[in-house]
Amino acid sequence: MAMQTVVREGKLSPAGRVTFLSRTETIAAAHRLNSKSLSDAENKKLFGKCNQSHGHNYTVMVTVRGEINPISGMFMNISTLQEHMQEAIMKPLDHKNLDQDVAYFADVVSTTENLAVYIWETLQKRLPAGCLHKVKVYESDRNFIVYKGG
């Protein structure tokens, strides 16, 4: 995508420039890492203590991208992104047991990787085409997953 700069009355305009907007939300959710394809012993060996029910306070960072609108000076109002995140992340996931309350995880292991994919797929349905850039899910201060679609 070519960048363009518009000159109006001798001044540069941000029209056509691409920016990235990020917002975070925190969700509290319980889960148990357990694969239906494995035996109980294999699950315990693979997932260790995470094979027991436990919870996390996940921090979810969503990044969208788009060209700056020369009239509004932004490509998306932050409150619009907040509304999409509320519907796609907070309502279906916050204070839920992922394995029991979210249909997606009935046959998908509720790893942080798969949580990031779920959030991507859910948000992508709500946002303008091609605008979702990245979903980052922190399971803890030290552990996180980045998903960029695909």
Side-chain angles (χ1 to χ4, degrees), residues 50-68:
C50 295
N51 185 236
Q52 301 296 317
S53 290
H54 63 285
H56 297 280
N57 291 318
Y58 296 97
T59 298
V60 179
M61 178 184 289
V62 172
T63 302
V64 292
R65 67 183 297 266
E67 289 187 11
I68 298 171

Side-chain angles (χ1 to χ4, degrees), residues 30-95:
H31 73 137
R32 174 181 177 228
L33 296 184
N34 191 71
S35 173
K36 293 178 181 178
S37 300
L38 300 174
S39 68
D40 287 344
E42 291 169 319
N43 272 299
K44 286 177 185 173
K45 182 177 180 184
L46 177 62
F47 298 119
K49 66 180 181 178
C50 295
N51 185 236
Q52 301 296 317
S53 290
H54 63 285
H56 297 280
N57 291 318
Y58 296 97
T59 298
V60 179
M61 178 184 289
V62 172
T63 302
V64 292
R65 67 183 297 266
E67 289 187 11
I68 298 171
N69 178 309
I71 295 169
S72 68
M74 56 187 162
F75 85 92
M76 180 183 289
N77 190 313
I78 190 74
S79 64
T80 301
L81 179 57
Q82 180 183 7
E83 290 168 14
H84 289 308
M85 290 177 72
Q86 180 69 28
E87 293 299 317
I89 300 169
M90 300 304 291
K91 283 186 179 179
L93 300 174
D94 192 33
H95 287 84

